[in-house]
Amino acid sequence: MRLRAAPTSGRPRQGCVLPSPAMLGLRLLLLGSCLCGWLRGSEAAGSRRPNVVLILTDDQDDLLGGMTPLKKTKALIADMGMSFSSAYVPSPLCCPSRASILTGKYPHNHHVVNNTLEGNCSSQLWQKIQEPYTFPAILRSMCGYQTFFAGKYLNEYGALDAGGVEHVPPGWSYWYALEKNSKYYNYTLSVNGKARKHGENYSLDYLTDVLANVSLDFLDYKSNSEPFFMMISTPAPHSPWTAAPQYQKSFQNVSAPRNSNFNIHGKNKHWLIRQAKTPMTNSSIQFLDEAFRKRWQTLLSVDDLVEKLVRRLDFHGELNDTFIFYTSDNGYHTGQFSLPIDKRQLYEFDIKVPLLVRGPGIKANQTNQMLVSNIDLGPTILDIAGYDLNKTQMDGRSLLPLLRGTSNLTWRSDVLVEYQGEGYNGTDPTCPALGPGVSQCFPDCVCEDAYNNTYACVRTMSKARNLQYCEFDDQEVFVEVYNLTADPHQIDNIAKSIDPELLGKMNYRLMMLQSCSGPTCRTPGIFDPGYRFDPRLMFSNHGGSIRTRRFLKPSL
C-alpha cells in the first residue's frame, strides 16, 4: 500500500527556499498534507500533547565508550535530562531489536528473529501482522500526531519480495527510509514510496547529514496545529564506518579499550566463544583498533545532527514541549574474549545501550539505575501522547513515571534477552575446519555466530542481586551464569557453583518470560516481594531433571 500525505492543518512557515529536490519534495508533501487537516479536528488551544523525537543509532555500544565522542549530545540531552545506566535490548541484533522498539514486544512475540526475510525482518508477514500495531501507527491513527521517519528502518526494508521501496508502513505522515542496511554513500531512499538514489558527493549524499537536513526541513514546514513524532535512525556507527571528510583524522591516538576481558580466552563459556583464537593476531588487533576509531569518527556527524535538531526546536519555540530520546539498537564488542568485532553475544557489551532522555517535567542532570529495555520505548511514547496502554498488547512498560520522578514506584527487577543464531548450511570458506553451521567468520578462522548460538537470558538487577542467567538451545543445553557485582566483565561462569535452588528459580523464571505476553511479561521477578515459585513445576515426569523451554523458529 502506498502511503499518501496524511491530513494535517495549518500553514507552513514562509520565506525559506529549499536547496535540493529532496527538500522541495518534502515541502510539497507537507503543503499537500495541510489542505485537509481540519477535517480531523484540532485539539483545544493550550491542550496539545508534547512532541517526541527518537534518535536511534546503529550498533552503538555503551560499555566500551560509545558515548565518548558525543560531547554535544551529552550536554544537550543527558545533562538536560536523565541518563539510564541500566538500559538493555531484548536481542543484540539490528532487526529483532528495532522490531522490539516499534512493537513494544519481546522477539518471541513479534517473531523477528534475525536480519533476513526468512527471519521475518520486514517480511510480508511482519507487514501484515505487526506493522499496523506499531506505536507510530497508533500515534497517527488514534492520537492525531504528525509522524516523520528518516533513516534505517529494518535491514530487509525495500526487498522486492516484500513490496520494495514502494511499501510505506502504516502510520507515517512522512517517510524517508533507507533501502536495506546502513550505508553512508551510494544508497537508495524511499521518499514516501518513491525511490531516490544517492551517490558519493559529500555535500549532497552523506547519509547522516541528509537525515539531519530533511529533519530540519520537516520542523520548518510541518503543521503547527498537531503534535509531532520524529524518528531519526542514523547509519552510524555501523560498518562500513565511513566518516565525513572533516572527521577522518579524528581520534588517531585512540585504541579499543584494553579492559580485563580483552584478548583473553573465554573459558567455561559456550563453544562459540571458546573457539576464538587467543591471543589474537597482531593483524586482528590492528583491524579492530582501526574499526574502533572509525566508529567514533562516524558518531561525530551524529553529534552534529543532535545539535542542529535541538537548535531548530529551540528556534521554533518547540524545545520545552518536546521529549528527546537517544538510544541504540544494540551494543558492540571489539576484542572481548578474543572476538574481533561484532554484536550477537549475550554479554553486557552487546546487550547494553545508551539511553538519554530530556523533556517536559524531567529534571536536569539525573542518572537512573532502574532496569529498562527498549520494549519500554513504545509504551512510554504512547503514554506521553495520552494513549491508554491497556489497549495495547505491548510487553514493555512506560518510563514516564521514572522520568518524572514518581516516588514509591514499584519497578521490575528482570528483563529477557533472546537471540536466534545463524549459520550457513555449507562450510564457511574462511573457516572450513569448523564445518557447516557457522557464520560471520574472520580470515583467521574466528566465527562470531552459529546456528546453535541460540540462547535466552534473564538479566536480573535488584538490591540483593546483580545476575545474568542464560541457556543455550544446543545439545548440551549449555548454561552461563554471572554475578556482575563481583565480576562486571563476566569472566567467570558460575553455573556449576551457584546455589542449585537459585539456579532452579532462574531457570523457571526464564521459562516464564519466554512464554510471556503483555501483562505477564511484567510479573514479579525472583527477588521481588510478590514473586511465587512452585518447584513442582520445574520437573518433568522423566527422572526429575530440570525442564528447559526449547527455542522455536517462527512459522513464516
Side-chain angles (χ1 to χ4, degrees):
M1 180 185 72
R2 180 176 175 179
L3 182 67
R4 296 183 181 275
T8 58
S9 59
R11 295 180 180 273
R13 291 181 174 84
Q14 304 298 314
C16 180
V17 177
L18 296 177
S20 70
M23 300 305 109
L24 284 169
L26 176 56
R27 171 186 267 185
L28 292 172
L29 175 65
L30 292 168
L31 279 170
S33 74
C34 292
L35 297 178
C36 306
W38 56 275
L39 294 176
R40 171 179 290 181
S42 61
E43 298 181 43
S47 64
R48 204 182 87 173
R49 288 285 178 179
N51 311 306
V52 183
V53 176
L54 171 59
I55 301 166
L56 179 66
T57 56
D58 196 353
D59 285 2
Q60 184 182 358
D61 68 274
D62 180 60
L63 282 190
L64 302 180
M67 285 301 302
T68 303
L70 293 137
K71 299 187 184 304
K72 291 180 282 191
T73 299
K74 180 181 183 299
L76 293 170
I77 303 181
D79 293 352
M80 300 302 294
M82 181 176 289
S83 301
F84 286 86
S85 61
S86 302
Y88 290 84
V89 295
S91 189
L93 189 64
C94 301
C95 204
S97 180
R98 288 164 181 263
S100 287
I101 292 173
L102 292 165
T103 63
K105 297 177 180 179
Y106 284 120
H108 69 264
N109 286 328
H110 61 58
H111 305 299
V112 178
V113 298
N114 57 42
N115 290 341
T116 67
L117 281 177
E118 295 76 17
N120 205 26
C121 181
S122 201
S123 68
Q124 291 183 352
L125 184 65
W126 157 266
Q127 294 170 16
K128 178 181 178 180
I129 303 298
Q130 301 296 338
E131 275 188 342
Y133 306 101
T134 60
F135 80 84
I138 296 172
L139 281 177
R140 184 60 186 153
S141 64
M142 304 302 294
C143 305
Y145 272 64
Q146 302 167 82
T147 52
F148 168 93
F149 182 87
K152 175 180 171 178
Y153 178 56
L154 300 174
N155 295 56
E156 284 294 330
Y157 172 75
L160 294 178
D161 291 343
V165 296
E166 292 77 19
H167 170 71
V168 177
W172 294 103
S173 312
Y174 185 69
W175 181 251
Y176 205 81
L178 177 67
E179 179 189 38
K180 299 291 186 72
N181 205 0
S182 286
K183 292 183 178 180
Y184 299 83
Y185 295 109
N186 297 311
Y187 54 85
T188 298
L189 294 173
S190 170
V191 180
N192 210 46
K194 293 185 178 180
R196 177 167 295 156
K197 295 184 180 298
H198 281 258
E200 51 189 19
N201 183 318
Y202 168 70
S203 62
L204 297 176
D205 302 314
Y206 189 69
L207 182 55
T208 305
D209 291 354
V210 169
L211 301 181
N213 292 336
V214 73
S215 299
L216 298 181
D217 279 279
F218 171 79
L219 291 175
D220 288 341
Y221 300 110
K222 64 176 177 58
S223 164
N224 289 324
S225 65
E226 295 176 318
F228 61 83
F229 168 69
M230 302 177 72
M231 184 171 177
I232 306 164
S233 180
T234 72
H238 196 284
S239 62
W241 316 304
T242 309
Q246 66 270 29
Y247 296 134
Q248 289 180 359
K249 294 184 179 180
S250 300
F251 309 120
Q252 289 302 303
N253 296 322
V254 169
S255 299
R258 268 47 170 182
N259 49 26
S260 61
N261 58 13
F262 178 83
N263 196 17
I264 67 169
H265 180 60
K267 63 179 181 178
N268 299 321
K269 289 176 167 51
H270 191 241
W271 76 268
L272 187 68
I273 308 302
R274 299 196 307 269
Q275 59 86 32
K277 289 181 171 56
T278 306
M280 291 183 288
T281 63
N282 290 336
S283 60
S284 290
I285 293 176
Q286 290 173 4
F287 172 73
L288 67 87
D289 279 339
E290 182 68 14
F292 189 88
R293 285 190 287 272
K294 288 181 177 180
R295 283 165 53 79
W296 275 22
Q297 291 168 1
T298 67
L299 285 169
L300 292 175
S301 293
V302 176
D303 210 29
D304 292 340
L305 180 155
V306 171
E307 181 184 39
K308 293 173 185 176
L309 193 71
V310 171
R311 285 183 175 179
R312 192 62 58 92
L313 286 166
D314 191 33
F315 176 79
H316 289 308
E318 301 269 19
L319 183 59
N320 291 335
D321 297 318
T322 302
F323 286 87
I324 305 176
F325 293 75
Y326 181 100
T327 192
S328 173
D329 56 0
N330 50 254
Y332 207 72
H333 58 259
T334 48
Q336 285 62 47
F337 302 121
S338 299
L339 297 172
I341 56 166
D342 200 33
K343 51 264 188 175
R344 294 179 170 85
Q345 308 306 329
L346 58 87
Y347 308 104
E348 295 281 281
F349 43 73
D350 283 0
I351 64 174
K352 196 172 184 180
V353 292
L355 177 58
L356 319 175
V357 192
R358 68 171 288 173
I362 304 176
K363 295 180 180 179
N365 202 26
Q366 297 184 84
T367 298
N368 191 294
Q369 298 178 346
M370 293 296 189
L371 186 61
V372 301
S373 174
N374 74 13
I375 60 171
D376 301 327
L377 294 175
T380 303
I381 294 169
L382 290 178
D383 196 13
I384 290 170
Y387 190 74
D388 182 359
L389 297 181
N390 292 322
K391 295 180 179 179
T392 76
Q393 297 297 315
M394 294 182 174
D395 302 332
R397 58 187 300 180
S398 173
L399 303 177
L400 200 53
L402 295 180
L403 294 171
R404 290 183 169 165
T406 302
S407 58
N408 300 320
L409 181 66
T410 300
W411 197 251
R412 67 157 69 91
S413 64
D414 59 22
V415 292
L416 175 68
V417 178
E418 45 194 353
Y419 177 71
Q420 180 80 55
E422 296 179 78
Y424 297 115
N425 289 327
T427 299
D428 190 297
T430 63
C431 197
L434 288 180
V438 296
S439 63
Q440 308 298 318
C441 297
F442 287 83
D444 53 356
C445 194
V446 175
C447 298
E448 297 265 6
D449 206 4
Y451 277 131
N452 67 358
N453 185 39
T454 295
Y455 58 81
C457 304
V458 181
R459 181 67 178 91
T460 299
M461 294 182 67
S462 70
K463 292 181 179 179
R465 300 278 187 161
N466 184 9
L467 298 171
Q468 185 180 24
Y469 172 90
C470 302
E471 291 181 8
F472 284 84
D473 184 28
D474 57 13
Q475 292 180 346
E476 297 178 274
V477 190
F478 196 82
V479 175
E480 295 189 27
V481 184
Y482 297 97
N483 177 351
L484 283 102
T485 300
D487 179 24
H489 293 130
Q490 297 170 290
I491 294 171
D492 297 318
N493 177 10
I494 60 172
K496 294 183 179 179
S497 60
I498 195 170
D499 178 8
E501 182 180 355
L502 177 57
L503 195 69
K505 287 182 178 180
M506 297 189 77
N507 172 272
Y508 180 69
R509 181 61 178 164
L510 178 60
M511 288 194 294
M512 295 290 290
L513 285 175
Q514 281 191 279
S515 58
C516 76
S517 179
T520 60
C521 296
R522 303 187 289 273
T523 55
I526 65 174
F527 298 110
D528 293 330
Y531 178 73
R532 296 292 180 267
F533 172 61
D534 184 352
R536 293 173 297 179
L537 298 177
M538 292 299 304
F539 299 98
S540 69
N541 295 324
H542 303 284
S545 60
I546 292 179
R547 282 190 301 182
T548 57
R549 183 176 184 271
R550 304 304 289 175
F551 303 75
L552 301 177
K553 293 184 179 180
S555 299
L556 301 181

